[in-house]
């Protein structure tokens, strides 16, 4: 069974030597009517072989030598339609179709990549917290990870990560901590905005995960604002032994559409830094322009400049004091 996060290398042989061939990769997802495509032009070696781990494309959607370059550079071919929002990533899959054209001859091959093997099980959690739990019935596999997404709020972007982590042997709870406006599956029990989210709710998720997996402690992994929350939670909950922070902040910041803190403790806002409205406006204009060129938006500059403008006493109050915990930053 092909697993989605396993690294692949394409080696195509029995081609015409020292000629240019076109390789196209197309991905189709089980949960929607959408597909992505990428391509590269490659020169075969003297033995008529193309090894993507050894050569860069002459032309294509990516540059440099990268055996997974075709996957990483895939772009949507059409607008996404017929999305199924209820997804069980122990059953979802991606159909990968590879087409090689060389000297007028065409070779086609398809294969399917899954997110977990058949040992991983899944359940939707609705109480006492909201989330998605990927687990093993095998009691020997007891290491657990609490997974926190970012400011998107919806759970679905995190589920492939959760499933792939579970496939490595972990029990994983992907915890949803707010349900934003526009959520295709709104959850009325959760806040509608990233504003004053109680750390106690995250602690409840940790307690639930420890109980279900039979562990005394957990690791916590967060992305973006979720990484900020992961670091903060680790300073307030002794059950958190390891933190994996992807694009984190060393400070607590304001929530979204508010100057109030994103997080609260005992119904009190946790001290935070505030982004300058002028800097945020300028960066939003920048983002509008760069998206025309299909580049990803970002707010790093407005946050960083706002932090530099803050008096030191405010920065010290908002700083997340992580101590000597084992951390991994990305």
């Amino acid at each position: 069974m092909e697993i989605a996060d396993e690294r692949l290398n394409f080696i195509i042989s029995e081609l015409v030597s020292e000629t240019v061939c076109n390789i196209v990769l197309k991905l189709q997802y089980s949960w929607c009517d959408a597909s992505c495509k990428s391509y590269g032009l490659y020169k075969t070696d003297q033995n008529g072989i193309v090894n993507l781990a050894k050569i860069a494309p002459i032309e294509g959607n990516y540059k440099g030598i990268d055996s997974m370059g075709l996957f990483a550079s895939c772009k949507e071919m059409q607008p996404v339609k017929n999305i199924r929002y209820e997804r069980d990533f122990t059953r979802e899959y991606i159909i990968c179709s590879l087409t090689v054209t060389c000297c007028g001859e065409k070779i086609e091959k398809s294969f399917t990549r899954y997110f977990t093997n058949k040992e991983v099980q899944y359940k939707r959690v609705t109480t006492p917290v909201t989330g998605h739990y990927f687990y093993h019935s095998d009691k020997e596999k007891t290491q657990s990870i609490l997974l926190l997404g970012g400011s998107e709020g919806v759970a679905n972007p995190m589920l492939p990560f959760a499933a792939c982590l579970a496939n490595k042997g972990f029990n994983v709870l992907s915890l949803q901590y707010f349900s934003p406006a526009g959520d295709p599956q709104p959850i009325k029990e959760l806040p509608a905005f990233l504003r004053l989210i109680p750390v106690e709710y995250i602690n409840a998720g940790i307690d639930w995960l420890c109980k279900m997996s039979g562990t005394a402690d957990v690791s916590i992994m967060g992305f973006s604002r979720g990484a900020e929350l992961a670091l903060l939670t680790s300073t307030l909950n002794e059950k958190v032994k390891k933190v994996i922070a992807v694009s984190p902040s060393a400070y607590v910041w304001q929530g979204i559409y508010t100057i109030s803190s994103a997080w609260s403790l005992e119904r009190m806002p946790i001290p935070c830094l505030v982004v300058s409205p002028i800097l945020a406006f300028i960066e939003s204009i920048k983002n509008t322009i760069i998206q025309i060129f299909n580049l990803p938006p970002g707010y790093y500059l407005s946050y960083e400049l706002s932090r530099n403008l803050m008096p030191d006493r405010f920065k010290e109050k908002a700083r997340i004091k992580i101590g000597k915990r084992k951390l991994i930053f990305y």
Side-chain angles (χ1 to χ4, degrees):
M1 177 183 287
E2 294 278 356
I3 301 299
D5 68 339
E6 291 179 346
R7 193 170 187 86
L8 293 180
N9 180 33
F10 293 127
I11 301 175
I12 302 99
S13 60
E14 298 184 13
L15 301 171
V16 178
S17 63
E18 297 184 338
T19 190
V20 176
C21 65
N22 181 26
I23 301 179
V24 176
L25 176 67
K26 183 179 179 182
L27 306 179
Q28 294 178 290
Y29 307 103
S30 61
W31 58 89
C32 63
D33 290 342
S35 57
C36 296
K37 187 168 73 171
S38 63
Y39 86 99
L41 300 181
Y42 307 86
K43 187 175 181 180
T44 62
D45 65 15
Q46 60 184 2
N47 297 313
I49 296 174
V50 171
N51 185 341
L52 269 59
K54 294 184 177 181
I55 62 171
I58 302 168
E59 175 189 313
N61 291 118
Y62 74 98
K63 297 179 180 180
I65 299 174
D66 185 354
S67 64
M68 293 291 288
L70 288 173
F71 280 96
S73 62
C74 271
K75 297 181 179 180
E76 287 185 1
M77 297 170 58
Q78 59 193 25
V80 179
K81 297 179 181 179
N82 300 323
I83 301 174
R84 175 167 44 80
Y85 292 102
E86 194 66 37
R87 305 170 196 168
D88 174 359
F89 274 88
T90 62
R91 299 181 179 181
E92 305 297 348
Y93 55 86
I94 304 172
I95 298 174
C96 309
S97 301
L98 198 68
T99 303
V100 181
T101 305
C102 188
C103 296
E105 294 189 15
K106 183 180 290 187
I107 304 169
E108 296 181 330
K109 180 178 177 59
S110 294
F111 54 96
T112 302
R113 307 194 85 192
Y114 296 87
F115 293 87
T116 69
N117 58 38
K118 294 180 180 180
E119 295 177 1
V120 179
Q121 300 179 57
Y122 164 81
K123 69 180 292 184
R124 181 77 180 268
V125 182
T126 56
T127 183
V129 294
T130 299
H132 302 259
Y133 185 44
F134 297 84
Y135 64 101
H136 300 261
S137 56
D138 181 354
K139 295 300 182 182
E140 294 181 1
K141 299 177 179 178
T142 55
Q143 294 187 69
S144 299
I145 298 175
L146 185 79
L147 186 62
L148 299 171
S151 57
E152 70 281 349
V154 296
N156 278 334
M158 290 295 102
L159 299 188
F161 292 102
C164 289
L165 286 169
N167 197 63
K168 304 297 184 185
F170 299 98
N171 296 317
V172 184
L173 173 61
S174 178
L175 185 68
Q176 187 170 355
Y177 51 90
F178 78 106
S179 181
D183 188 340
Q185 293 180 303
I187 302 169
K188 62 181 181 180
E189 292 82 8
L190 294 179
F193 299 96
L194 181 55
R195 179 178 63 199
L196 299 176
I197 305 297
V199 174
E200 290 88 346
Y201 175 78
I202 313 303
N203 289 337
I206 292 172
D207 291 341
W208 185 92
L209 181 56
C210 287
K211 180 180 178 180
M212 294 299 294
S213 61
T215 56
D217 54 63
V218 301
S219 299
I220 185 168
M221 181 177 187
F223 292 74
S224 191
R225 295 307 298 265
E228 175 188 322
L229 179 56
L231 291 173
L232 176 64
T233 302
S234 74
T235 68
L236 301 169
N237 192 319
E238 290 298 324
K239 291 182 179 179
V240 179
K241 298 303 181 184
K242 298 178 183 178
V243 181
I244 303 97
V246 183
S247 299
S249 169
Y251 299 87
V252 171
W253 285 89
Q254 69 185 76
I256 296 177
Y257 306 124
T258 178
I259 60 172
S260 297
S261 178
W263 326 113
S264 69
L265 182 65
E266 297 179 349
R267 299 186 178 182
M268 296 295 293
I270 294 175
C272 68
L273 300 184
V274 177
V275 178
S276 163
I278 296 175
L279 292 174
F281 175 72
I282 293 172
E283 192 144 40
S284 67
I285 295 174
K286 179 210 73 175
N287 286 333
T288 300
I289 295 171
I290 66 173
Q291 286 184 81
I292 296 174
F293 300 97
N294 202 30
L295 296 172
Y299 287 91
Y300 172 78
L301 288 177
S302 56
Y303 275 78
E304 183 65 12
L305 291 173
S306 296
R307 182 183 68 83
N308 289 332
L309 292 172
M310 284 281 179
D312 287 343
R313 66 180 185 277
F314 291 130
K315 286 190 282 189
E316 183 58 27
K317 286 183 178 180
R319 185 170 64 85
I320 302 173
K321 302 168 181 65
I322 56 178
K324 295 183 179 180
R325 285 170 173 77
K326 186 172 182 180
L327 305 174
I328 301 175
F329 295 102
Y330 289 96

